[in-house]
Amino acid sequence: MKKKKSIIIAVSAASLLCLAIAVYSAILPKKTSVDFFSMNTYITVSAEGKDSPAACEEIQKLVNNLDSGVLSRQSEESEISAINSGGGKMSEGMRRYISDMLGIYEASEGAFDFALGSVSDLWGFGNEPHLPADAEIKAALKKSGAGKISINGDEIAANGAVIDFGAAGKGIALDEIKSLLNSMKIKNAVVSVGGSILLYGEKDFTVGIRNPEGNPGSYIMTVSTPAAFVSTSGSYEQNFEENGKIYHHILNPETGYPVQNELVSVTVVSDNGLASDALSTACFVLGAEKGMKFAEKYGCEVIFVDSDKKVTVSDGIKDSVKLTDNSYSFAE
Ligand code: ADP
Ligand code: MG
């Protein structure tokens, strides 16, 4: 009698084990990737988990709709085009984006200025870049700046300034993508929108920071981090040469001309996509010394690379940054 019972237990234990294996293989994560072009840049998605094929599809829809319907100045149907040509009521999303960007504009004392659209247009970046006449820059600058924007509840007026998401839109897209992934069964994901990346999931990630002098695939250091947003702004990203001088696309809001300082790239690590994108631009404008203090105030980590190939890293990620190109070294 006793013997019989133990056989039953053994059998049920074996079937349980089989069941466990079946369940385990059913929940083994799937991995799916997709690349596409949107927001004037290349976007790559790699996701792991049961919902990864759906996530890749949904992310494409989300980014295309956000670009053409909300953020893009090139799209006539976008919310920002309507705001720039007169103002009006903001959607809930737009209200949040503008309020966060105004906060960064004020805290950076105008270094991050998202209403320089008319000045950027004069330089023709993304189109036909060229050196504009000084008088044109001065005239456009007078009408520009986030300080011109007035907000009353959910009503906004740009008052002649042209709002531009060039320096924060990629981060905004990544914030929205993170919310989408939170609603799906996704274990890990890496999404890159131009120079901004979302690292999503429980594991530790390692990302390469691009070589300012090399081709887009080569990097000069790696950063290891748990889930975060990582954005890089660099003067190498969009530039042109005229009369023996190089002009790039990150503008000094005080002059309307490209920022001229010691920096070639700034990388910001943050738990917020908009902040990582906007602060990489703001810290570039501020320079390493002021930029370091500013990033600290925002609880972000930051890496500055200067034209002498010196690398300055904030304390919080010092041990996570490894230089992989021996022509670069840490600043003293
Ligand atoms: P990228 O678009 O190459 O990732 P950034 O995030 O630094 O680089 O954004 C640069 C873009 O932001 C420019 O192309 C321009 O549209 C806009 N811009 C330029 N200067 C500023 C500035 N000081 N503050 C905010 N936006 C800026
Ligand atoms: Mg930026």
Side-chain angles (χ1 to χ4, degrees):
M1 195 62 201
K2 217 177 175 191
K3 209 172 181 186
K4 215 174 176 184
K5 199 175 177 190
S6 71
I7 289 170
I8 291 169
I9 290 169
V11 168
S12 53
S15 60
L16 253 182
L17 188 68
C18 285
L19 190 69
I21 289 169
V23 170
Y24 182 68
S25 60
I27 56 164
L28 258 188
K30 276 190 196 164
K31 200 168 184 172
T32 317
S33 313
V34 67
D35 298 349
F36 60 103
F37 192 87
S38 189
M39 302 185 87
N40 287 324
T41 193
Y42 289 97
I43 299 180
T44 67
V45 182
S46 160
E48 221 180 285
K50 194 167 167 278
D51 286 346
S52 63
C56 285
E57 228 179 283
E58 292 298 316
I59 287 172
Q60 280 192 70
K61 277 193 221 155
L62 184 159
V63 175
N64 286 328
N65 291 341
L66 183 67
D67 190 41
S68 63
V70 185
L71 304 181
S72 168
R73 286 206 285 132
Q74 278 81 48
S75 159
E76 280 175 21
E77 298 90 62
S78 71
E79 192 178 349
I80 200 59
S81 289
I83 289 174
N84 280 334
S85 61
K89 222 175 165 66
M90 290 181 283
S91 65
E92 167 54 23
M94 181 63 81
R95 203 193 49 72
R96 255 186 300 121
Y97 309 150
I98 298 273
S99 138
D100 288 355
M101 293 197 299
L102 272 175
I104 298 173
Y105 165 76
E106 278 158 18
S108 69
E109 292 174 3
F112 173 78
D113 190 335
F114 58 97
L116 294 177
S118 333
V119 186
S120 286
D121 288 349
L122 284 178
W123 288 93
F125 286 105
N127 248 330
E128 282 174 39
H130 64 277
L131 179 62
D134 185 59
E136 281 184 305
I137 295 178
K138 290 206 165 76
L141 200 56
K142 247 191 197 150
K143 296 188 295 176
S144 300
K148 298 251 184 323
I149 297 170
S150 47
I151 291 178
N152 186 358
D154 57 3
E155 295 277 334
I156 183 168
N159 300 315
V162 174
I163 298 175
D164 180 77
F165 284 98
K170 300 178 187 83
I172 289 171
L174 291 176
D175 281 328
E176 299 294 355
I177 290 169
K178 183 181 171 184
S179 303
L180 172 73
L181 293 177
N182 282 340
S183 71
M184 302 180 98
K185 292 195 171 64
I186 294 296
K187 196 163 172 265
N188 297 300
V190 176
V191 183
S192 76
V193 181
S196 293
I197 304 179
L198 161 65
L199 306 167
Y200 181 93
E202 297 289 314
K203 63 174 195 173
D204 276 327
F205 298 84
T206 300
V207 288
I209 303 302
R210 197 180 137 179
N211 183 349
E213 291 178 342
N215 62 45
S218 72
Y219 55 91
I220 56 170
M221 67 182 107
T222 59
V223 185
S224 301
T225 170
F229 296 87
V230 183
S231 290
T232 301
S233 285
S235 52
Y236 54 82
E237 201 56 64
Q238 288 188 51
N239 60 40
F240 66 94
E241 195 175 329
E242 203 167 311
N243 308 329
K245 254 190 100 174
I246 291 175
Y247 299 92
H248 63 82
H249 72 313
I250 303 171
L251 302 176
N252 178 344
E254 281 175 8
T255 63
Y257 282 81
V259 172
Q260 276 189 304
N261 59 23
E262 75 287 6
L263 297 173
V264 288
S265 91
V266 178
T267 297
V268 171
V269 182
S270 170
D271 59 7
N272 179 280
L274 187 154
S276 76
D277 195 359
L279 260 70
S280 67
T281 311
C283 291
F284 194 106
V285 177
L286 289 169
E289 215 177 297
K290 281 189 182 167
M292 182 68 86
K293 290 193 187 109
F294 181 60
E296 206 170 282
K297 209 163 101 181
Y298 259 82
C300 296
E301 302 299 337
V302 61
I303 303 166
F304 298 93
V305 180
D306 72 24
S307 53
D308 290 335
K309 300 193 167 187
K310 293 284 183 222
V311 177
T312 308
V313 183
S314 59
D315 287 342
I317 49 164
K318 246 191 185 124
D319 298 337
S320 320
V321 176
K322 294 205 165 36
L323 300 180
T324 52
D325 179 326
N326 59 19
S327 65
Y328 287 80
S329 58
F330 289 113
E332 299 304 309

